[in-house]
Amino acid sequence: GAKVVPADIDEAGARQTAEKVQAMGRESIAVKTDVSVRQEAEALMEITMKTFGRIDILVNNAGITRDTSLRKMTEDDWDHVIDINLKGSFNCAQFAAKHMVGQKYGKIINLSSRAYLGNPGQANYSSSKAGILGLTRSLALELGRHNINVNAIAPGMIRTPGVTSLGHFEKIVERAIENTPLGRIGEPIDVANVILFLASEEADYITGDVIHVTGGRY
């Protein structure tokens, strides 16, 4: 029943998503956005308000990886991952919260990762995902009095294009399955269902929490 605003640096991809939503009979617009750029994150919220008049749900799902060892990691490798994953979530939350506070209602759902526990070769990514948990809990404490819920999801290995495109994908999956009690990697719908739950009224008394979608792999 939601009106949906897919936002992506990939404008064509965002437009395709909007068209799929429209085909289901719902209203949707696509907005080209680089969430790491504050002006663009703010413009996203202003366009949404101008078009639909409310912002009830924000899903911070933009994320990238630049995996390499600490000794080889460049400053750009570090900055780019932090800027998209962590700063991008901060930017969007800050500009969306302004409108949510005014309407005394909102759901903010931040995508972390089980990598917040630490992964070799992912000092930048793991740091960004751990930072998202701190951001989530801080915002939950700050915004709760305005009837705004802020939660995080920590997915494990999920079969997304970003994962399947890796050259050593099969080897990664084999190792992940060995360490996953449910014996498989996750599908995008496994994460989407939890997002849907946290965005719903059924999760009205949950805030500042993180839900792991990992098949039991920690």
Side-chain angles (χ1 to χ4, degrees):
K3 298 171 182 177
V4 183
V5 183
D8 202 315
I9 198 168
D10 173 13
E11 187 173 14
R15 198 179 304 116
Q16 288 174 2
T17 300
E19 289 169 356
K20 289 179 181 178
V21 174
Q22 292 164 1
M24 297 175 185
R26 300 303 305 172
E27 295 180 64
S28 183
I29 60 167
V31 182
K32 185 176 187 298
T33 309
D34 180 345
V35 296
S36 70
V37 178
R38 286 183 60 75
Q39 295 91 330
E40 293 193 27
E42 184 175 25
L44 167 64
M45 304 309 162
E46 296 306 321
I47 290 169
T48 301
M49 288 296 297
K50 184 177 180 181
T51 305
F52 296 129
R54 292 179 64 90
I55 298 175
D56 295 305
I57 302 162
L58 169 66
V59 181
N60 278 316
N61 192 41
I64 64 165
T65 59
R66 281 199 180 179
D67 297 351
T68 189
S69 67
L70 174 64
R71 288 172 293 173
K72 294 180 180 178
M73 188 171 292
T74 66
E75 184 178 10
D76 187 62
D77 290 333
W78 174 271
D79 288 347
H80 198 46
V81 170
I82 296 296
D83 282 350
I84 298 292
N85 298 6
L86 184 54
K87 183 183 175 185
S89 297
F90 163 75
N91 286 343
C92 291
Q94 185 179 53
F95 292 121
K98 178 176 71 172
H99 303 289
M100 292 177 174
V101 167
Q103 66 196 23
K104 282 287 184 181
Y105 180 85
K107 306 275 191 175
I108 298 175
I109 302 158
N110 297 319
L111 271 292
S112 180
S113 164
R114 71 165 293 283
Y116 80 85
L117 296 167
N119 277 334
Q122 287 194 319
N124 48 4
Y125 185 75
S126 292
S127 295
S128 72
K129 294 304 185 177
I132 284 174
L133 297 188
L135 176 68
T136 297
R137 287 166 178 150
S138 294
L139 297 186
L141 292 169
E142 185 174 332
L143 298 175
R145 62 193 176 96
H146 301 289
N147 196 34
I148 299 170
N149 301 66
V150 189
N151 290 290
I153 298 172
M157 176 72 69
I158 307 295
R159 195 188 306 274
T160 63
V163 172
T164 57
S165 64
L166 296 172
H168 49 306
F169 168 68
E170 295 299 334
K171 186 177 291 186
I172 293 174
V173 169
E174 185 179 339
R175 187 166 62 246
I177 289 175
E178 287 177 358
N179 296 312
T180 302
L182 291 184
R184 68 174 178 89
I185 66 169
E187 301 296 334
I189 191 65
D190 294 316
V191 179
N193 283 335
V194 180
I195 294 173
L196 183 61
F197 167 68
L198 291 175
S200 75
E201 294 178 356
E202 294 174 348
D204 277 354
Y205 202 57
I206 300 173
T207 196
D209 214 338
V210 54
I211 298 179
H212 294 80
V213 186
T214 65
R217 177 175 176 237
Y218 291 101

